[in-house]
Amino acid sequence: QVQLVESGGGLVQPGGSLRLSCVASGSIFSINVMGWYRQAPGKQRELVATIISGGSTNYAYSVKGRFTISRDNAKNTVYLQMNSLKPEDTAKYYCNVAAAAMGAPYERYYWGQGTQVTVSS
């Protein structure tokens, strides 16, 4: 009922920047929390940042001060601005939203397909 399309990943040098975007579409009634997770090969998926509908944000300690999450409610879009990138930021980044589809009795989580971010010289 809800689909997520991610973009913005790529290859960058250490110290560089990228901006990830995630657009939600479909029969959406409401969207509550939007966020980003990442997973490197052989490692557990981890939370990077979240933002609620009112604008409150939280970040993983490892990215605080370097990454910024934001959203455009009119466009059902969430962004992740990534600055001062490090090799350890290399991972596949996944968009995640808590949303209620039109006609659904409850809210649930949806996942995007992921976009690869590689930080290397």
Side-chain angles (χ1 to χ4, degrees):
Q1 295 278 269
V2 179
Q3 298 81 42
L4 305 179
V5 179
E6 300 149 329
S7 62
L11 174 64
V12 297
Q13 292 184 285
S17 298
L18 284 174
R19 190 179 80 152
L20 307 183
S21 300
C22 173
V23 181
S25 62
S27 56
I28 301 170
F29 178 75
S30 63
I31 299 177
N32 189 355
V33 181
M34 306 184 81
W36 292 93
Y37 289 72
R38 67 185 182 186
Q39 187 169 26
K43 298 183 66 177
Q44 185 176 341
R45 186 174 298 187
E46 65 174 343
L47 176 68
V48 177
T50 61
I51 182 168
I52 64 173
S53 59
S56 181
T57 61
N58 70 85
Y59 299 89
Y61 179 81
S62 61
V63 307
K64 189 172 296 184
R66 299 188 297 120
F67 292 8
T68 302
I69 188 170
S70 61
R71 63 192 286 172
D72 185 333
N73 292 329
K75 297 180 178 179
N76 289 333
T77 301
V78 62
Y79 305 94
L80 185 68
Q81 179 66 47
M82 308 164 66
N83 299 325
S84 302
L85 284 162
K86 305 174 180 179
E88 51 262 45
D89 294 318
T90 296
K92 194 167 187 178
Y93 285 69
Y94 296 88
C95 180
N96 175 257
V97 305
M102 295 189 70
Y106 55 85
E107 188 176 79
R108 76 174 186 88
Y109 287 99
Y110 295 86
W111 291 92
Q113 289 293 106
T115 183
Q116 180 67 38
V117 172
T118 302
V119 185
S120 177
S121 59

